[in-house]
Amino acid sequence: MPESSGFDQIYNGAVRTGRFPEKLFLEARQGAVAALDLAEEVLKQAIGEYGIDHPVGFPDTAYFLPVIHSLSGEEIKSLGDCMPLLNHERPLMHCDLTFANARRWGETTWYAAEIIEAVRYLRQIPEAPPHTPPWTGFIGDPVVRACGVKMVDWTIPGEAIIFGRARDSRAIAGVVRKLMEAGLMIFLCDEVCDQLLSEGVKLGVEFMAYPLGSFTQLIHAANFALRAGMMFGRVPAGQKDSQRDYQRRRIRAFALYLGAPDPVKTAAAMGAINIGIPVVTDQALPEDRQIPEWFISVPDYDKILQACLELRGIKITAVGVDAPILVGHTFEGESVRRKDAQVEFGGGRTPGFELVRMVEEAESFIDGRVELTGPDIDDVKPGSALPLGIVVDVFGRKMQKDFEPVLERRMHYFINYGEGLWHVAQRDLIWVRISRDAYNKGFRLKHLGNILIARLKAEFPAIVDRVKVSIYTEEKKVLELRENARDYYKKRDERLRMLSDDTVDTFFSCLLCQSFAPTHVCIISPERAGLCGAVSWLDARAACEINPFGVNQPIRKEGLVDEKKGQWESFNDFVYKNSQHTITNVNLYTIMEYPHTSCGCFECILGIVPECNGLMVVNREYTGPTPAGMSFSTLAGLIGGGVQAPGFMGISKSYLISGKFVAADGGLARLVWMPLALKEQLRPVMIAAALNAGLGGSFLDQIADETISTESMEILKFMEEKGHPALNMESLI
């Protein structure tokens, strides 16, 4: 419902005739006036101290002051840019008490809060951030983009914005733990942060539970949501109605307003309602201080969570796991340091491996069984290291051998879903830690098996019928079975080596990101994973088998147009039909003409450096300048949202080592610049890719990075010194 009239109908329909909540609107106006006064005072002081032309903004964002930019369209770059905006808001404070005006006062309050926060950052950066751990403050664009895939596929089913002070610390901790287990993204502000920490709730970026800070730092929850609309939905700045529509349909956020009424907080709540986010409060309010469907009172903490979820239509499918810890993807980013580990496995200290294998029905087993061979966690001293072998036997009538590695890769995520569990790497390189906290809650190795069984059945119901997990911690047995597992790995690798773009007749689509980027169509081939890096050709094939009507559809290679550039009529037809008739042609092997579209969840951006006759790549974790003269965030804002941008393209990290990496443009030999951290992360596999491409084992050291320069002419000089092959290649332009 993109038209403002449509939203007005929703808002006006929510207010029953004759029950107008004037007291609520009056409080919102008072709060907006107070916020505006404070912002003007803070701004005048900053201008007096720094000057009217002093730049202002937040770190790691391409969206200026994001709330103001998204809703007003203004590009606030200096302190002087802020004053006209505040002056424009002042006359609105004298308007009548109506729902429309109350929402507008909420918008004013958000503008004021964002300006106050921008000045806070100006005063304390670079000397020190305007917050201390675990407070997060502003959350940069790379974090928003890193959450993109999970927001797209509803792994993150919604967002909860919680502010104020709860009446009962233990009760609100219970609510937040349920939200975390359900996988919602949580933004916290004010005294509730301290209440949760006192109850032992884990907060921080790694848990997607962001303790923003206090008072005006609530605005960082708002600018996160609005940037998601601009990044993934490509909602133009200043298009309030489109942004409201996007927030209502896609982000599915709600606000929880805790504690005694406060005019500024009430005004901030109206700001949430203004962009389609309903508010639930624990205040016991009479009906004439509520707005049905938008501002409602639920004082009972046992009922407040369900009310919030129902208000946004968020349905949580519980995955029953027999384990004494919380299990949910919220804990996926948690780290367990050695000093906090009760026990660890693998990681070079002990042998380890994990294996998923398909079994025939004749070999079947008792479903749901977990068997342990060797000592358990409580049989060894704290801080010990044990060997670990995990063998997962899967039976399914639609299971295939090619799906084994797909399920096996998911083990990494499923184990990390456990609160206090940490898992890295795969195959015979795994490294696992179990925290002392998890152990003290009663976690033992059988629970590890329970997690794997429950998650495999929940996420792959179409191909997984029965699961058994065997866990080994006896070194002799682990070493014996590891050799058997290596035989499995070897056979899989040989099978995968036979798979290439040239040896298969079918690629697959991925339309998952269309809910965020409506014109984006991902084409996935054996040598080109999805831009997010999370979906391989085998993954897409398995997903298609599981759900033939889902987002991964087969596309046969038919009607060859250009073999070198990778263009087929069948792909053109599919992309045209599924991109709202906006993309007519797509080449899979060049960045220069009809390149693959980019969503917003890509791991890296590939771009042309014309002065060097080559290409650069920048990953979203890198926040510095690039040879293109723009940061990752700025580039992402230009190419994301499902557009074709010749000379630039979103890619996965794995595409850099593909034999089809921009093959029509010269392949890996065109790469002239990349961030040092990315270079070191990929060094072993990129050296192998360079050798396969005939570039030699020293090619990686011919690629410049930020320690050399981010200026194209200095990079060119470095290339000449190193004899980079791109210097002798045909011009890209």
Side-chain angles (χ1 to χ4, degrees):
M1 207 178 294
E3 297 300 322
S4 60
S5 58
F7 272 97
D8 287 342
Q9 289 173 10
I10 293 175
Y11 289 131
N12 294 334
V15 183
R16 290 172 294 180
T17 305
R19 304 299 296 272
F20 214 60
E22 292 188 13
K23 292 181 180 178
L24 184 67
F25 296 161
L26 178 61
E27 188 174 290
R29 182 166 65 183
Q30 292 170 342
V33 170
L36 198 58
D37 288 346
L38 180 58
E40 288 180 348
E41 180 182 347
V42 167
L43 182 60
K44 287 177 181 177
Q45 290 177 354
I47 290 174
E49 185 175 349
Y50 296 99
I52 199 167
D53 296 322
H54 198 285
V56 67
F58 296 121
D60 297 338
T61 184
Y63 297 96
F64 310 98
L65 301 191
V67 168
I68 294 172
H69 183 55
S70 173
L71 298 180
S72 75
E74 295 289 331
E75 297 182 357
I76 302 296
K77 299 178 182 179
S78 69
L79 290 171
D81 294 336
C82 299
M83 192 57 77
L85 183 86
L86 295 180
N87 289 339
H88 180 267
E89 299 297 302
R90 180 62 72 180
L92 299 173
M93 301 302 102
H94 304 290
C95 294
D96 295 335
L97 297 175
T98 67
F99 192 21
N101 287 336
R103 299 195 316 271
R104 190 61 181 81
W105 296 327
E107 186 176 325
T108 298
T109 303
W110 279 19
Y111 290 172
E114 192 160 53
I115 288 171
I116 292 169
E117 278 301 294
V119 172
R120 182 200 299 263
Y121 269 77
L122 170 63
R123 291 187 184 283
Q124 299 190 43
I125 287 182
E127 291 82 3
H131 51 79
T132 54
W135 316 117
T136 62
F138 181 81
I139 302 163
D141 291 355
V143 177
V144 184
R145 292 189 183 278
C147 295
V149 175
K150 293 175 184 176
M151 296 169 78
V152 164
D153 67 4
W154 300 116
T155 300
I156 298 174
E159 294 181 6
I161 302 169
I162 306 176
F163 61 101
R165 179 181 176 83
R167 295 191 310 274
D168 185 329
S169 295
R170 181 173 296 180
I172 195 61
V175 170
V176 169
R177 285 192 174 104
K178 289 178 181 177
L179 287 170
M180 295 175 79
E181 194 167 25
L184 275 79
M185 185 177 289
I186 307 168
F187 299 91
L188 302 153
C189 194
D190 293 326
E191 294 173 81
V192 69
C193 298
D194 293 312
Q195 290 181 298
L196 293 172
L197 290 171
S198 71
E199 294 293 333
V201 178
K202 296 177 180 177
L203 304 179
V205 173
E206 64 268 39
F207 303 107
M208 287 197 309
Y210 305 105
L212 302 172
S214 59
F215 190 46
T216 54
Q217 288 170 324
L218 178 65
I219 200 64
H220 300 316
N223 64 45
F224 189 105
L226 293 173
R227 277 179 289 153
M230 291 188 285
M231 284 180 190
F232 304 119
R234 211 163 180 79
V235 177
Q239 297 293 319
K240 296 181 188 179
D241 295 334
S242 297
Q243 186 66 260
R244 287 178 186 132
D245 175 58
Y246 191 83
Q247 296 295 323
R248 190 71 182 157
R249 287 185 299 102
R250 283 300 316 168
I251 304 302
R252 297 201 303 192
F254 59 83
L256 192 50
Y257 176 6
L258 304 173
D262 175 271
V264 176
K265 292 175 184 175
T266 299
M270 286 297 165
I273 293 171
N274 186 54
I275 65 164
I277 299 175
V279 178
V280 177
T281 180
D282 65 348
Q283 303 162 22
L285 299 178
E287 286 191 7
D288 63 359
R289 286 182 63 87
Q290 299 183 52
I291 307 172
E293 303 299 320
W294 290 103
F295 191 91
I296 65 172
S297 168
V298 183
D300 188 341
Y301 279 66
D302 291 332
K303 298 178 181 178
I304 202 166
L305 175 58
Q306 190 59 36
C308 292
L309 297 177
E310 289 175 354
L311 202 56
R312 289 315 318 263
I314 300 172
K315 299 188 182 298
I316 305 300
T317 302
V319 178
V321 179
D322 179 10
I325 58 173
L326 296 179
V327 179
H329 78 88
T330 298
F331 302 100
E332 184 183 335
E334 180 183 11
S335 294
V336 177
R337 296 175 177 84
R338 178 169 291 180
K339 65 182 179 65
D340 299 320
Q342 178 72 20
V343 65
E344 69 175 323
F345 310 86
R349 295 185 68 190
T350 62
F353 75 92
E354 59 192 14
L355 176 70
V356 169
R357 60 189 186 189
M358 184 186 85
V359 300
E360 302 294 338
E361 188 167 15
E363 309 171 55
S364 203
F365 44 78
I366 298 175
D367 182 38
R369 174 171 288 183
V370 179
E371 295 180 349
L372 172 63
T373 301
D376 206 335
I377 307 171
D378 48 4
D379 296 324
V380 296
K381 294 179 180 180
S384 297
L386 281 172
L388 180 66
I390 306 174
V391 179
V392 180
D393 289 317
V394 174
F395 167 75
R397 287 173 175 79
K398 293 186 177 181
M399 183 67 185
Q400 299 178 27
K401 293 290 287 184
D402 280 346
F403 297 164
E404 287 177 343
V406 176
L407 303 189
E408 196 170 283
R409 283 196 297 273
R410 295 298 296 169
M411 290 173 63
H412 165 75
Y413 298 98
F414 297 158
I415 293 174
N416 279 320
Y417 286 177
E419 181 187 17
L421 308 186
W422 180 79
H423 177 287
V424 295
Q426 58 183 321
R427 290 191 170 185
D428 55 354
L429 300 174
I430 61 168
W431 190 2
V432 179
R433 284 178 180 160
I434 296 173
S435 73
R436 193 171 298 110
D437 182 55
Y439 171 80
N440 290 336
K441 289 179 180 178
F443 188 88
R444 300 296 182 266
L445 286 175
K446 69 176 182 179
H447 300 119
L448 192 67
N450 292 341
I451 291 172
L452 293 173
I453 291 168
R455 298 305 308 195
L456 282 167
K457 285 188 165 186
E459 296 203 16
F460 298 97
I463 61 173
V464 174
D465 295 328
R466 304 175 205 165
V467 185
K468 171 190 171 186
V469 176
S470 301
I471 299 175
Y472 303 89
T473 58
E474 185 181 277
E475 184 166 1
K476 182 179 178 181
K477 194 66 176 176
V478 171
L479 290 171
E480 174 189 332
L481 292 173
R482 186 175 67 176
E483 292 308 307
N484 178 257
R486 285 172 173 171
D487 288 338
Y488 272 84
Y489 305 151
K490 183 178 179 181
K491 290 175 182 177
R492 289 176 188 169
D493 291 342
E494 289 171 353
R495 165 72 175 131
L496 287 173
R497 275 194 290 270
M498 294 172 60
L499 291 174
S500 70
D501 287 10
D502 299 328
T503 59
V504 302
D505 59 8
T506 302
F507 292 175
F508 288 90
S509 70
C510 184
L511 305 179
L512 190 62
C513 290
Q514 285 206 338
S515 53
F516 272 3
T519 62
H520 173 63
V521 179
C522 226
I523 303 296
I524 298 173
S525 72
E527 297 184 79
R528 183 195 182 102
L531 278 59
C532 61
V535 184
S536 70
W537 185 83
L538 281 176
D539 293 326
R541 189 180 133 197
C544 184
E545 182 77 22
I546 293 167
N547 180 9
F549 305 103
V551 296
N552 299 118
Q553 293 293 308
I555 315 171
R556 290 186 63 84
K557 291 159 57 177
E558 296 174 341
L560 181 64
V561 176
D562 191 318
E563 185 173 14
K564 181 180 179 182
K565 294 179 180 177
Q567 185 176 163
W568 286 265
E569 289 179 0
S570 56
F571 294 149
N572 290 341
D573 291 344
F574 185 91
V575 170
Y576 181 68
K577 290 174 183 176
N578 289 276
S579 66
Q580 300 185 354
H581 295 176
T582 60
I583 307 298
T584 59
N585 303 74
V586 62
N587 287 319
L588 299 182
Y589 306 139
T590 176
I591 193 175
M592 300 306 297
E593 179 185 13
Y594 299 126
H596 195 286
T597 58
S598 301
C599 49
C601 307
F602 36 75
E603 291 185 301
C604 303
I605 295 172
L606 190 67
I608 186 172
V609 186
E611 300 88 344
C612 300
N613 196 36
L615 303 173
M616 66 165 212
V617 65
V618 55
N619 54 315
R620 65 175 169 232
E621 294 86 358
Y622 175 76
T623 59
T626 71
M630 293 175 278
S631 66
F632 178 94
S633 294
T634 302
L635 284 167
L638 295 174
I639 73 167
V643 302
Q644 280 181 321
F648 293 89
M649 183 171 64
I651 64 169
S652 66
K653 291 177 182 177
S654 64
Y655 185 51
L656 290 166
I657 59 173
S658 166
K660 290 293 187 180
F661 173 68
V662 288
D665 301 327
L668 191 58
R670 285 288 187 183
L671 196 58
V672 302
W673 188 92
M674 65 192 301
L676 179 61
L678 180 62
K679 185 190 295 187
E680 294 307 314
Q681 179 188 0
L682 300 179
R683 180 172 287 275
V685 290
M686 286 199 69
I687 289 175
L691 289 170
N692 290 335
L695 297 172
S698 63
F699 173 71
L700 195 61
D701 295 321
Q702 295 176 311
I703 301 173
D705 55 54
E706 72 274 20
T707 66
I708 305 300
S709 181
T710 57
E711 297 295 328
S712 57
M713 298 313 294
E714 292 182 14
I715 294 170
L716 180 60
K717 182 179 178 182
F718 174 81
M719 291 170 60
E720 291 170 344
E721 292 173 357
K722 295 291 185 179
H724 195 290
L727 296 172
N728 298 316
M729 298 175 74
E730 181 182 353
S731 175
L732 270 174
I733 300 176

